[in-house]
Amino acid sequence: MTATCAPIFPRVAKDATIRGVKFGARERLAESLRTFRAVFANPGLRRIELALVGSVTGEWAYAIALAVFAYGRGGAAAVGLVGLIRFLPSALAAPFAAVFGDRYRRGLVMVLADVLRALAMVAAAVAVFVDAPAGAVYALAGFVSVVSTAFRPAQAALLPSLARTPEELTAANVASTTIESLGSFVGPALGGLLLAATDAGVVFAATAATFAWSAFLVLAIASEPPAGDRGRGPGLRAEALAGFRTIAVETRLRLVVALYGAQTLVAGALNVLIVVAALDLLDLGMSGPGFLNSAVGVGGLAGAVVALALVGRRRLATDFGIGLLLWGVPIALIGVWPHEAPALVLLAVLGVGNTLVDVAALTLLQRAAPDEVLARVFGVIESLLVAALGLGAILAPLLVSLFGIRGALLATGAVLPVLTVFSWPRLARIDSEVTMPERELALLRRLPMFAPLPASTLEHLARSLRPLQVNAGEEIVREGAPGNRFYVLASGEADVSIGGRLTTRLGPGDYFGEIALLREVPRTATVVARTNVELFSLERDEFVAAVTGHPESREAADAVIGARLGSLRAGMASL
C-alpha cells in the first residue's frame, strides 16, 4: 500500500485518533483471539481440526515417500506418472465423490474416507515390504487420491454446522489454513526423516496410522443431521451436477470460484517457476527450491496471525482481493529483482497472501452456498483447483520458452493483480450486500426452535426475514385461514384469540404461525395488533426447510407445538 498526503490536524486530536485506533485494534485482536480459542473449546470443531492435523501430515509425508519410491523404480518419468495418477482421477472424481457429503452424514463420510485411505496405505506398505510390482503401489496411490476427494468437501461443508457464530466459522477456517501451512513442511520433514532411517514402506504404514487417528477423532462428532434429512436427487450424475448449477446461478459464488481458480492456476505455474528460478535465475543449487518453498510456508504461518483480523470483520470479499494482490505482486517483483534475499522475503509475503485467500474464500463460499448442496459445491471447487494446478504446471514451461524465466515471472505475477483490479467493484459489492442483520439474528437466536441451528443457517434465515408494519386494530392472521408465513414480533403488542375469545397477549420476541406450517393445518387462532407493531415474517418453505432439516430444531419445534396445542385444547374445553 502507498501512503497518501493528508491534512495536518491539531496535535491533540491526532494523538487521540491514534490512541483510539490502537485501542480498537487491540480490542479487535483480543476478540479474535478469544474466538480462536473458542474454536478449540467447541468439541466438534476441536475434533475436526485435530483430525485435519492427522490427515494433512499423513498426506504430505506419504507424497514425499511416494515420489522417492517412484524415482527409485523408474526415475523422473515415474515421478511424473505418479503425479498424473494422483491428480487426474481425483479431478474427475471430486464432483461425484462430494455427493456423499450431501447425501449422508458428513462426519461419517470423513470417517469412511479415512478408513479406506488407511487400509490402502497398509496395502501399499505391504506391497513395498514384499517387493511387489511398482504398479500395485501406483494403483493404490490413485485410489487414495480419489477417496480423498470425498474427505475434503465433507470437512469444509461440516464446519458451518459446528460453528456457533459467524466469527467462530472464520476462526475455524483460520485454524484449518494454519494446519495446512504447518503440514506443508512438517509432513515432508517427518516423511524425509523416516525415509532416511527406514524406507517408503514404513512411511506408508505411518501414514495409515495418521489416517486412523483422523477417523477416530471424527467418529465422535454427532451434532449434524442424520442421514436422510437432506434431500436426494434422482441419481448420482444429477446430484453431482447440482454443485455446478449452484455455482452457475449464484453471482457471488461465480466470482469467488473464478478468482480462486485463477489463484490456483498461478500456484500451479509457480510450482514449476520456483524450481527454474532457484536453479537458473538465483543460482541457489539443488537445495534452492526447498528454501524458496519453505519461505512460502513461513509466510503462511505469519498469515495466520494476520488472518485473525478477519475473524471480526465483515469485509471478507475485499480481504480476499487483498490476498490475491499479495499473491501476484511478489511473483512479478522476483522477475524484476532476481536476488536471493528479496526473493525469500517476497515469497514469505506471498505466503501471507495465500492464507488470506484461503480463509476468506472458504468462509465466503460456506456462507454463500446453501447447506443442502455445500459439499457438492466444494467438490466442484476441488475438481477445478486440481485441474487449475495441472494447467498452470503445463503453461509455465511455455511461458519460460516464450519470455525467459524473468518474463515468465512477470507475466504470471501480473495475472492476479489485473483480475483483482477489474473485479474490485464486484468484490466490494459482495461486502455491501452481506452486511450482517444483527437485529434479526438476535431475534432468531432467542427462539427455541432456531437456537440449535448452525450459524450459517441462522444468517441465511435472518437475511430472508421480511419486515412488516401493522397498525393497531389490524388483523395479522385469521383463524381457519391457510398459513404461508411464520411471524416474529419485534416491537408492540398483539392479541391472540380462539373462537372470538382472547387467550394470549404477545410482546416483543414472541412468535406465531408455526403450527399451520409444520402440521399443514389451517390457522388455529386469530392474531390482531393491539398497538402499532413491527413484525418480521419468514416464508413457509424457508421456515420448514430450516426447522425440519436439523433434529434438535425439529424437536424444539415439536415441543412448542405440543405445548400450544395443549393450551388450545384446554381453552376450547373451557368455552
Side-chain angles (χ1 to χ4, degrees):
M1 298 178 65
T2 58
T4 57
C5 295
I8 300 175
F9 294 100
R11 178 61 180 254
V12 174
K14 185 176 180 181
D15 288 347
T17 302
I18 292 172
R19 285 197 298 271
V21 169
K22 288 183 177 179
F23 178 75
R26 286 198 300 269
E27 287 297 302
R28 180 185 293 275
L29 181 59
E31 180 61 31
S32 297
L33 290 172
R34 282 194 292 271
T35 307
F36 194 78
R37 287 194 295 269
V39 169
F40 290 91
N42 181 325
L45 289 178
R46 181 174 65 248
R47 286 182 173 275
I48 287 291
E49 300 297 352
L50 293 177
L52 192 62
V53 171
S55 180
V56 171
T57 304
E59 285 175 350
W60 277 102
Y62 144 73
I64 294 297
L66 181 64
V68 171
F69 173 83
Y71 188 82
R73 292 299 183 95
V79 177
L81 175 63
V82 165
L84 182 66
I85 291 172
R86 289 183 63 205
F87 292 118
L88 181 59
S90 62
L92 297 174
F96 299 95
V99 169
F100 298 107
D102 287 329
R103 181 182 282 189
Y104 304 106
R105 291 178 182 264
R106 286 162 180 165
L108 180 60
V109 171
M110 293 171 65
V111 169
L112 290 177
D114 276 331
V115 169
L116 290 174
R117 294 192 295 178
L119 291 175
M121 285 293 93
V122 170
V126 171
V128 173
F129 293 148
V130 301
D131 200 24
V137 176
Y138 300 161
L140 288 167
F143 175 78
V144 168
S145 296
V146 170
V147 172
S148 294
T149 62
F151 181 91
R152 291 305 179 88
Q155 184 259 346
L158 181 56
L159 283 181
S161 67
L162 298 175
R164 294 166 295 198
T165 65
E167 293 78 13
E168 195 170 88
L169 176 60
T170 305
N173 286 325
V174 173
S176 297
T177 304
T178 304
I179 289 169
E180 295 276 3
S181 297
L182 282 168
S184 68
F185 61 84
V186 172
L190 291 176
L193 289 173
L194 280 175
L195 281 173
T198 57
D199 60 15
V202 173
V203 180
F204 293 160
T207 300
T210 67
F211 289 148
W213 156 270
S214 176
F216 172 75
L217 287 168
V218 178
L219 189 61
I221 296 175
S223 60
E224 56 169 330
D229 277 12
R230 303 186 181 100
R232 300 190 181 193
L236 184 62
R237 180 175 177 273
E239 287 189 70
L241 292 176
F244 290 97
R245 288 194 298 269
T246 302
I247 294 172
V249 301
E250 172 55 54
T251 304
R252 286 180 294 165
L253 281 175
R254 284 203 308 272
L255 178 61
V256 175
V257 170
L259 291 175
Y260 206 11
Q263 182 258 339
T264 310
L265 178 74
V266 172
L270 183 62
N271 287 339
V272 175
L273 296 178
I274 205 169
V275 175
V276 180
L279 298 177
D280 297 340
L281 184 63
L282 304 176
D283 293 324
L284 298 179
M286 295 302 293
S287 61
F291 284 128
L292 296 183
N293 276 293
S294 295
V296 177
V298 171
L301 292 178
V305 178
V306 176
L308 281 174
L310 304 187
V311 171
R313 280 173 59 84
R314 303 292 188 223
R315 305 188 65 81
L316 285 172
T318 48
D319 290 331
F320 177 53
I322 292 170
L324 292 173
L325 291 173
L326 293 179
W327 238 98
V329 172
I331 298 174
L333 290 179
I334 292 174
V336 174
W337 197 8
H339 300 287
E340 178 181 354
L344 291 170
V345 173
L346 289 167
L347 288 173
V349 171
L350 183 149
V352 173
N354 189 63
T355 301
L356 293 180
V357 166
D358 284 345
V359 171
L362 285 174
T363 307
L364 286 167
L365 292 168
Q366 287 162 339
R367 290 181 176 178
D371 180 72
E372 61 269 18
V373 295
L374 188 53
R376 280 169 283 178
V377 167
F378 276 108
V380 172
I381 292 168
E382 181 161 346
S383 177
L384 172 67
L385 298 188
V386 171
L389 277 172
L391 181 59
I394 293 171
L395 291 175
L398 297 177
L399 291 174
V400 173
S401 65
L402 288 173
F403 307 117
I405 180 59
R406 295 182 67 175
L409 288 167
L410 284 167
T412 302
V415 170
L416 293 178
V418 170
L419 290 176
T420 303
V421 168
F422 279 106
S423 303
W424 194 266
R426 297 172 64 191
L427 291 171
R429 196 178 309 126
I430 289 176
D431 284 330
S432 65
E433 290 173 352
V434 297
T435 302
M436 196 69 65
E438 299 290 354
R439 187 185 181 200
E440 290 89 334
L441 270 175
L443 278 172
L444 293 180
R445 285 196 182 107
R446 289 198 291 266
L447 306 188
M449 65 189 74
F450 291 130
L453 293 176
S456 56
T457 303
L458 275 176
E459 273 190 61
H460 174 74
L461 290 177
R463 291 194 178 95
S464 300
L465 288 174
R466 295 293 175 263
L468 180 64
Q469 304 287 337
V470 179
N471 295 325
E474 291 185 9
E475 190 176 82
I476 304 171
V477 300
R478 175 176 294 182
E479 184 177 357
N484 55 11
R485 290 185 182 89
F486 171 79
Y487 296 92
V488 183
L489 192 60
S491 65
E493 294 183 338
D495 290 333
V496 181
S497 60
I498 300 172
R501 180 179 176 181
L502 179 65
T503 60
T504 310
R505 181 159 294 160
L506 304 177
D510 289 328
Y511 54 94
F512 56 94
E514 74 285 346
I515 297 177
L517 302 184
L518 293 176
R519 292 291 188 263
E520 297 185 355
V521 297
R523 295 292 189 190
T524 57
T526 296
V527 181
V528 177
R530 177 179 174 81
T531 65
N532 292 342
V533 299
E534 180 185 7
L535 298 161
F536 286 102
S537 67
L538 189 63
E539 293 295 329
R540 177 194 189 98
D541 290 345
E542 295 276 6
F543 174 80
V544 172
V547 173
T548 60
H550 193 282
E552 291 182 24
S553 181
R554 180 58 185 263
E555 185 178 333
D558 287 340
V560 169
I561 291 173
R564 289 193 170 178
L565 289 177
S567 299
L568 174 62
R569 285 190 291 268
M572 292 296 293
S574 67
L575 291 177

